[in-house]
């Protein structure tokens, strides 16, 4: 059977290979190089939610998570926190946000109230002003629910450009797969005591100030697998990860068991992955611990021995042996962030 | 009959009073003043799609127009142009954009292709780089179609804060009501030869550089009526408009006749309203003409004689007599921008 690919599928939104391919074909390839970034800036020549324009960092993200309220957070908390984290991951100190809310006709005002309460609570907690925004309503036959786009603006003296280097250690700052597992549990009706790890990562700016960090990312949609594959591809290096060192809570495995989903492809909302020189690995881990994180060194960056090894991620499995950790493809859990 | 207002209605998205009231209740009132702007910046203490942060102007807008393709443009062209115009209207020279596309599962890839072509064409025409973005897919039972959020970043030496002053002349730079009439015609199945006025307004930066412009706005959703009412309210002045001086094409009236819609509440996408001191009115009109605009002086700003006249817009009608031009309320044409 030949499938006619003339329509958008959920797979196109997986944040992995399908999204990359779609964006390359339908957007990036159409733009001349000069319109992919500003002079001296970082743009979509490095595809990402954010950009650096001189000392200004700008990040944008559209939040579509469903259910809107989940243990540990809500789409409102996520819309602020997720974009703050995008700014922080580029080395920016968030100084302002804008929001743009699109809701379907008939959306509950009580839910909108809870959502905006959560947005405001996070803005207060992080002390970031909301300086502008937009609000649209779409007829109910075209849209149910809510989409919240947020824009984060930050200032940086030292942008993080995400180029891993040979000899780097790969560190995660906390348990992996938790946010995704919470959403999966609600969507599949699986009982769990897990709460989303959703939280701002602004404290990491202290680490970025003190240490040479070659790459930093919060592995949201597409999870650890997407982040590590993007880094390997961008730098042409090989990343080797030790499965038994990845801190995946038992409860995440329990939730995922009936679904066949891979925790390494699941979204996280309160952890970061860092790539730092091996020599400072211990110091960085100590600093992360003192800031309240629970870091684990999970792997390293190698110079590929041949072209086949360039740009790939190898997972040494807990049972011995190793396999390629692929960029996620196909339909992931929809609307996890 | 008491209507229970517990759900979002299309009226909440009209860009007029209902939108203002909703945002005040559900968002602005929740934020402490300190989180409504940055120090030295312009924020949501002046509600708008954009913000000024030191010399950086940022604007964001979610585009939901339906149909996606219309005479004179498309949602793709609108998503770039509309946000460029928001930046320009704050006195900013656009230097970069980000986009965030959310589509329903099943959306046509051919349509996506046309839309991204139009986005890229406008970016090229305006020579503005696209430096980052996001892409999400939502299941078809929750969303059909496409929402495009864009973020525009600009640099300004002289932000425009939109405070009209006593004695100002109000100038529009071209015909009023055209974009809205085109969308109305398509939605109602009315034949017309009108094309949307959709176009970038970057040339106006030359006017802003040379002259003292007290307020500038592209009257999109909510139209001229919404813009003038916001200005009157913000400054506590009275604005008086001469109906027979407003350049409304005959064809706009023909389209609107069977609908009962008011051209002054219809969205425009390629004109601006300016408020400038009476003394330089002629010079500004001359400059606008030389830049290819078709300006008309349509009214003036007065110091209100009493409290009742503060913050209102008076329309001297073509047939004689005058009436209050209200901030638009109720359900406007849905998804006009």
């Amino acid at each position: 059977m030949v499938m006619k690919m003339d329509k958008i599928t959920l797979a196109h939104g997986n944040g992995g290979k399908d999204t990359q391919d779609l964006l390359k074909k339908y957007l990036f390839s159409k733009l001349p190089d000069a319109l992919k970034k500003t002079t001296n800036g970082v743009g979509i020549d490095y595809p990402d939610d954010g950009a650096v324009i001189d000392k200004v960092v700008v990040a944008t993200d559209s939040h579509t998570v469903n259910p809107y309220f989940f243990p540990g957070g809500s789409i409102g908390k996520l819309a602020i926190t997720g974009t703050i984290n995008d700014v922080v991951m580029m080395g920016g100190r968030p100084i302002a946000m804008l929001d743009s809310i699109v809701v379907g006709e008939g959306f509950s005002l009580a839910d909108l109230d809870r959502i905006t309460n959560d947005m405001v609570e996070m803005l207060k907690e992080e002390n970031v002003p909301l300086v502008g925004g937009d609000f649209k309503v779409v007829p109910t036959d075209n849209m149910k629910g809510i989409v919240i786009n947020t824009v984060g603006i930050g200032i940086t003296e030292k942008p993080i450009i995400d180029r891993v280097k040979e000899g780097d250690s790969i560190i995660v700052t906390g348990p992996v797969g938790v946010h995704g597992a919470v959403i999966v549990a609600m969507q599949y009706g699986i009982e769990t005591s897990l709460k989303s790890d959703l939280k701002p990562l602004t404290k990491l700016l202290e680490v970025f100030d003190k240490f040479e960090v070659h790459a930093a990312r919060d592995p949201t949609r597409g999870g650890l697998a997407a982040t590590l594959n993007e880094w390997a591809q961008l730098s042409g290096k090989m990343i080797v990860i030790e499965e038994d060192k990845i801190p995946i809570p038992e409860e995440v495995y329990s939730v995922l068991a009936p679904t066949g989903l891979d925790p390494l492809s699941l979204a996280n909302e309160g952890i970061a992955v860092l790539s730092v020189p091996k020599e400072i690995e211990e110091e960085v881990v100590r600093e992360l611990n003192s800031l309240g994180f629970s870091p684990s060194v999970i792997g390293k960056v190698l110079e590929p021995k041949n072209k086949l090894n360039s740009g790939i991620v190898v997972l040494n499995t807990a049972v011995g042996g190793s396999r390629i950790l692929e960029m996620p493809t196909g339909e992931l859990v929809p609307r996890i962030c």
Side-chain angles (χ1 to χ4, degrees), chain A residues 237-254:
Chain A
K237 305 293 183 220
M238 179 167 93
I239 297 180
V240 180
I241 299 296
E242 306 298 324
E243 189 175 39
D244 60 1
K245 300 220 172 121
I246 308 174
I248 302 173
E250 200 50 55
E251 189 93 12
V252 168
Y253 282 116
S254 315

Side-chain angles (χ1 to χ4, degrees), chain A residues 76-312:
Chain A
K77 190 174 171 191
L78 185 59
I80 300 299
T81 310
T83 298
I84 282 181
N85 287 348
D86 286 342
V87 170
V88 168
M89 288 304 123
M90 302 185 83
R93 183 166 299 281
I95 58 159
M97 294 193 80
L98 295 86
D99 73 299
S100 180
I101 300 176
V102 181
V103 282
E105 181 190 2
F107 191 80
S108 151
L109 283 170
D111 282 352
L112 181 66
D113 197 32
R114 282 177 70 189
I115 289 167
T116 52
N117 282 343
D118 284 353
M119 290 171 68
V120 170
E121 194 187 310
M122 284 314 301
L123 288 166
K124 285 183 184 166
E125 215 172 295
E126 291 290 302
N127 198 31
V128 176
L130 185 73
V131 295
D134 187 21
F135 184 85
K136 295 262 164 74
V137 179
V138 170
T140 188
D141 44 327
N142 283 359
M143 187 172 159
K144 293 174 177 45
I146 188 165
V147 173
I148 307 180
N149 184 279
T150 42
V151 180
I153 299 146
I155 297 294
T156 182
E157 294 295 325
K158 194 178 157 186
I160 299 176
I161 310 297
D162 282 3
R163 290 286 186 275
V164 300
K165 292 195 180 149
E166 185 187 356
D168 277 3
S169 294
I170 303 288
I171 301 174
V172 293
T173 65
V176 168
V178 179
H179 175 75
V182 168
I183 304 299
V184 167
M186 291 188 77
Q187 289 180 345
Y188 284 69
I190 299 167
E191 280 203 29
T192 177
S193 60
L194 282 177
K195 276 187 192 171
S196 170
D197 62 341
L198 180 58
K199 67 164 181 284
L201 295 166
T202 16
K203 277 187 195 162
L204 286 179
L205 290 170
E206 297 184 38
V207 177
F208 303 158
D209 275 353
K210 280 190 198 164
F211 300 100
E212 183 189 343
V213 175
H214 292 152
R217 187 83 72 89
D218 56 330
T220 56
R221 190 177 44 157
L224 210 51
T227 295
L228 295 175
N229 270 285
E230 276 182 41
W231 285 359
Q233 285 167 21
L234 278 167
S235 59
K237 305 293 183 220
M238 179 167 93
I239 297 180
V240 180
I241 299 296
E242 306 298 324
E243 189 175 39
D244 60 1
K245 300 220 172 121
I246 308 174
I248 302 173
E250 200 50 55
E251 189 93 12
V252 168
Y253 282 116
S254 315
V255 166
L256 296 186
T259 69
L261 291 163
D262 179 357
L264 301 185
S265 297
L266 282 192
N268 308 276
E269 292 293 348
I271 63 164
V273 202
L274 312 179
S275 188
V276 302
K278 171 76 181 161
E279 307 81 62
I280 59 166
E281 169 198 304
E282 277 183 37
E283 274 181 282
V284 171
V285 165
R286 206 175 310 127
E287 177 80 14
L288 284 168
N289 273 311
S290 81
L291 290 169
F293 293 96
S294 314
S296 307
V297 179
I298 62 166
K300 60 192 170 190
V301 178
L302 301 179
E303 195 59 41
K305 292 213 179 91
N306 55 53
K307 230 188 144 190
L308 276 178
N309 288 340
S310 166
I312 68 166

